[in-house]
Amino acid sequence: MRIDRNITRHDGTAITLTLSATRFAGHRALTAGGLVAGAFIVLFSFIGVYGSMLGQCVEAGVCPESDLNGASLSGVKGGVPAEVAKTISEGIFNLLFLVMATSSISTLDSTFTSTAKLCAPELFGFWETGAPVPLSEATDLHVKVGRFSMVAMAVIGTLPLLMNVTELSATTISGTVVMGLAGPVVLLAFFPWKKGEVKPLAFLAPFLTGAAIGVAYMVRYSLKSADGTLKYPDVNVDFTPLTIGEGSYGMLLGVNVLGACLSVFLWFLFATSDWCFGNYEDDGEKEEEAASSVDVEKGKQEFTTR
Amino acid sequence: MPSSIELTVGASPQADLSDVEASITKTSSDDPESGSWRDNTCQELKIAVKQPQFYATLVIFIILEIIVIATDSNPLYHVLFCYFFFLTSTAPIATTGFTFFKGEIESDSKTRKSFLVLASSTMISWIFAKSVQNASVLGAKYGVTGGFAYAAWYISFVSCAAVIYRLRMMGYKSLPAAIQSNYGSTSMIFFALAVLYRLYNEVWSNSLVVSSFFTSESHSSEYWWSNILSTAIPLVYVLMGGLKSSLYSDVLQAIMFILGLVVVLISVGIQHSENNVLKGYLEGNHTSSSFMNYNPAGTSLDRNPLTLAGGMDLLITGALQGALSYPFFDPVLTDRAFLANPKTNAR
């Protein structure tokens, strides 16, 4: 649904405000979804809190061991959901499995659809036409390529299970590897430059710097072998001076603060310079720019009046 | 339902937006389609039952059930097979790119429907099986502070909504497109590789959580079956319907998830409140026996939950990543932020 509203301002210029309820709904939906998801995460931590309570009580010899109901003490005390559920009853264990299977399946279906979108209209489209193809123009061939990429992702994504992958936090750390996106994506949205100017270094410098620091941190301090010890403790990088505070995540925090600062700094460095190695003007986009500048103005109006 | 209002306002355009909002509500309640979408869903279900696809799925389901019962396997397989049956038998078969990649979220008249679909879809897709695991483990380590620390990553939603909103205002249709037109093709390829790496990690790390319920022994046959099944089931129904089946199954999954979670939490609460020995021990040795104030380390003299060492270091890391970088390499989130927007450039 769209509402066009023509307004004559006091200086006499007429502007058109376009209000699209659908557009607002999309972003409110996202924020609403995020708030609910965050609240659920806090609620979920209660399972671990209870596990820690019970585990410590049994360990101290105050609570009887029968309270564990056959679950392992270290698992319960460490808050592993499956073990905590076992202490309650088999029914709750099965129900928790249902909850976990639900969240796993729903994440995987979205993972596959995102793979298809990235591989077919975006990457395959780039190879075909030189630019990612908008979803509304996706062809039947794109659908085929998309389906193929889903199957490929499922097979390749299962292969790591052949090795002894035990360290789930490897993926939590992956956020650190992409910390360089802070400048190129967030700041681009708030300080855009003229359309048609291409500044590759404003992306590559912050992104690759962040990735290098992140990978170094991951290899040295986070990758563990099956017995739980660090896999590559001899790699010659030392992030100890970055550590903030006494906690067990102090170094992770320090690395992320450094990464965010570097990303912002490098982005400004390369984005504000008009001439820089690798910069060029994309002529093909100029016509489009002229055509869309009116709409962009309109969009900005809409944003400020919201 | 487009409707136009002509107005002349003397002051700034901000003057009375309430007017416009009022008419938005008015028009959408006049919209016949948004009220009756539940009926439509029933209708769609009835049609689905008559499809050959439904019977084919039913036959496969029965065969799988017979195998599990005959071999006396783990009863948890029944849950997976029921999932397979319900989601595959009703999955739409996408023939066009519009269904497969956009989930048919474009029609202007279904505002309320797409709001519900998108909200529950982002919610459930972003609660990964491993985030449930991590939240619980952090709860055991730091008390409720651990839960809040992990929830800090969910700032991603707000950040993603704000940033993608602005990028769409500039006329971009997707994040890779925005990156290519501002930073060039090389940058876009690097970005795509980072995204692919993330997607690849999602596959094994989520199925691993499911298989941990079946067996703790890796590389056993149960381990393989549970991992393969939990990857294959979502693969089958998204192969058929693409984003459309993903979005619509998300609604069903969100409901199941919330119901299951509520029952598990209530039973945890009951266990806790009935165990007086436990409460007595906690009152004596830890700050409190309540879920909100319990401190796994003992008392706040041992470790104050409001210090860096008490879990705030992780909370700040999460907030920093969530606000600045984490959401943008996760297409599960950004793809949805680019949906439900009919015309970025109103042409």
Side-chain angles (χ1 to χ4, degrees):
Chain A
M1 183 190 68
R2 268 183 51 208
I3 296 176
D4 290 329
R5 187 185 193 202
N6 296 317
I7 293 175
T8 313
R9 288 209 313 214
H10 58 286
D11 58 353
T13 49
I15 51 166
T16 305
L17 289 182
T18 307
L19 287 172
S20 160
T22 323
R23 185 181 306 164
F24 291 150
H27 293 272
R28 259 185 312 187
L30 209 64
T31 313
L35 286 177
V36 175
F40 276 131
I41 287 299
V42 175
L43 286 176
F44 250 117
S45 70
F46 285 177
I47 296 175
V49 172
Y50 174 71
S52 166
M53 289 173 171
L54 189 69
Q56 295 210 19
C57 185
V58 172
E59 201 176 43
V62 180
C63 295
E65 209 153 297
S66 60
D67 276 6
L68 288 181
N69 208 3
S72 84
L73 176 60
S74 64
V76 173
K77 199 178 148 219
V80 177
E83 298 294 325
V84 180
K86 254 186 223 165
T87 67
I88 300 172
S89 70
E90 196 174 340
I92 294 297
F93 175 79
N94 289 338
L95 192 67
L96 189 73
F97 172 73
L98 182 72
V99 170
M100 293 295 238
T102 304
S103 68
S104 172
I105 287 175
S106 72
T107 302
L108 284 180
D109 69 30
S110 310
T111 300
F112 293 135
T113 50
S114 289
T115 307
K117 176 177 167 279
L118 182 72
C119 290
E122 285 165 1
L123 282 178
F124 182 72
F126 167 73
W127 181 73
E128 266 183 329
T129 66
V133 174
L135 294 186
S136 45
E137 289 160 33
T139 61
D140 289 352
L141 180 63
H142 289 149
V143 175
K144 279 190 194 116
V145 174
R147 285 195 164 117
F148 175 78
S149 65
M150 282 175 174
V151 178
M153 179 55 87
V155 173
I156 297 170
T158 309
L159 290 182
L161 297 174
L162 286 168
M163 296 178 294
N164 234 333
V165 274
T166 46
E167 187 50 90
L168 275 180
S169 78
T171 52
T172 326
I173 299 295
S174 66
T176 306
V177 176
V178 293
M179 60 194 173
L181 288 176
V185 179
V186 179
L187 294 179
L188 175 72
F190 292 94
F191 306 101
W193 54 72
K194 206 173 100 227
K195 256 196 176 180
E197 270 179 42
V198 184
K199 300 178 174 175
L201 281 183
F203 180 91
L204 293 173
F207 179 77
L208 294 178
T209 310
I213 299 174
V215 169
Y217 173 78
M218 193 172 82
V219 170
R220 169 68 179 81
Y221 294 101
S222 148
L223 280 186
K224 288 177 182 164
S225 39
D227 57 359
T229 55
L230 284 176
K231 214 169 176 179
Y232 305 104
D234 301 326
V235 174
N236 194 12
V237 284
D238 188 6
F239 287 136
T240 10
L242 294 174
T243 310
I244 300 175
E246 309 281 295
S248 37
Y249 293 98
M251 192 189 288
L252 183 69
L253 173 61
V255 168
N256 272 281
V257 170
L258 173 77
C261 292
L262 271 179
S263 173
V264 170
F265 169 74
L266 288 171
W267 186 82
F268 270 114
L269 189 69
F270 290 107
T272 49
S273 59
D274 283 330
W275 190 90
C276 199
F277 174 74
N279 285 10
Y280 60 94
E281 294 229 354
D282 194 337
D283 295 332
E285 286 194 13
K286 274 193 174 167
E287 285 169 39
E288 198 190 311
E289 182 204 336
S292 66
S293 63
V294 182
D295 301 318
V296 171
E297 269 311 304
K298 209 190 282 178
K300 279 184 188 156
Q301 270 295 350
E302 188 181 331
F303 190 76
T304 48
T305 47
R306 188 165 67 120
Chain B
M1 303 266 135
S3 67
S4 295
I5 318 162
E6 298 272 339
L7 267 179
T8 310
V9 187
S12 66
Q14 283 94 328
D16 51 358
L17 262 179
S18 54
D19 235 31
V20 186
E21 270 163 25
S23 46
I24 291 173
T25 359
K26 190 174 163 290
T27 11
S28 56
S29 60
D30 286 346
D31 186 346
E33 267 188 80
S34 59
S36 60
W37 70 271
R38 204 177 296 142
D39 301 339
N40 288 350
T41 316
C42 287
Q43 208 67 41
E44 279 166 23
L45 271 179
K46 273 180 203 158
I47 297 166
V49 170
K50 289 174 190 154
Q51 297 285 322
Q53 167 199 347
F54 179 85
Y55 296 104
T57 320
L58 187 65
V59 170
I60 298 173
F61 172 70
I62 292 170
I63 294 171
L64 289 172
E65 280 292 307
I66 290 171
I67 295 174
V68 168
I69 293 165
T71 56
D72 200 21
S73 302
N74 198 320
L76 295 181
Y77 283 117
H78 296 301
V79 177
L80 289 181
F81 293 153
C82 288
Y83 250 118
F84 165 77
F85 175 67
F86 284 116
L87 295 174
T88 310
S89 64
T90 55
I93 295 184
T95 47
T96 64
F98 179 56
T99 314
F100 195 78
F101 294 114
K102 292 210 76 173
E104 291 175 7
I105 295 275
E106 203 179 33
S107 159
D108 289 6
S109 59
K110 292 180 181 171
T111 312
R112 239 182 257 164
K113 185 180 179 180
S114 42
F115 177 84
L116 279 177
V117 170
L118 274 183
S120 47
S121 163
T122 40
M123 191 278 281
I124 192 70
S125 304
W126 242 59
I127 298 186
F128 315 129
K130 69 168 194 293
S131 22
V132 173
Q133 188 103 4
N134 287 341
S136 177
V137 169
L138 288 171
K141 189 171 179 185
Y142 292 115
V144 78
T145 312
F148 280 108
Y150 203 70
W153 263 274
Y154 288 76
I155 291 173
S156 292
F157 281 76
V158 181
S159 170
C160 179
V163 168
I164 304 290
Y165 186 86
R166 293 202 65 118
L167 289 177
R168 283 162 68 169
M169 283 303 148
M170 296 173 205
Y172 298 116
K173 300 257 188 321
S174 74
L175 206 46
I179 287 175
Q180 197 205 15
S181 85
N182 283 289
Y183 303 114
S185 301
T186 321
S187 306
M188 200 267 284
I189 299 288
F190 269 107
F191 176 74
L193 288 177
V195 170
L196 276 177
Y197 175 69
R198 160 156 190 104
L199 291 168
Y200 150 87
N201 276 319
E202 287 305 308
V203 178
W204 62 265
S205 63
N206 279 294
S207 71
L208 203 56
V209 176
V210 174
S211 75
S212 73
F213 276 77
F214 284 84
T215 170
S216 53
E217 199 183 321
S218 59
H219 301 165
S220 61
S221 71
E222 272 219 296
Y223 169 89
W224 284 115
W225 278 118
S226 51
N227 270 311
I228 290 169
L229 281 171
S230 60
T231 309
I233 290 169
L235 178 66
V236 170
Y237 68 81
V238 289
L239 270 181
M240 292 159 66
L243 187 64
K244 188 167 190 222
S245 50
S246 170
L247 285 179
Y248 285 81
S249 65
D250 281 346
V251 179
L252 177 79
Q253 286 158 349
I255 296 167
M256 298 264 289
F257 178 84
I258 293 170
L259 287 180
L261 174 69
V262 167
V263 176
V264 170
L265 284 174
I266 288 174
S267 62
V268 165
I270 292 172
Q271 287 282 319
H272 173 260
S273 67
E274 281 178 351
N275 195 338
N276 287 323
V277 182
L278 176 67
K279 279 197 280 189
Y281 165 77
L282 294 173
E283 295 289 352
N285 295 282
H286 295 266
T287 309
S288 160
S289 67
S290 82
F291 281 101
M292 290 301 283
N293 293 321
Y294 167 77
N295 186 343
T299 64
S300 38
L301 287 177
D302 297 311
R303 191 180 69 195
N304 187 335
L306 294 177
T307 58
L308 285 172
M312 287 297 146
D313 49 1
L314 190 65
L315 191 140
I316 299 170
T317 307
L320 201 62
Q321 285 191 3
L324 295 177
S325 54
Y326 201 74
F328 306 110
F329 90 129
D330 187 358
V332 170
L333 195 56
T334 53
D335 286 359
R336 281 168 175 73
F338 275 100
L339 290 171
N341 174 30
K343 290 132 201 142
T344 309
N345 293 330
R347 288 195 171 138

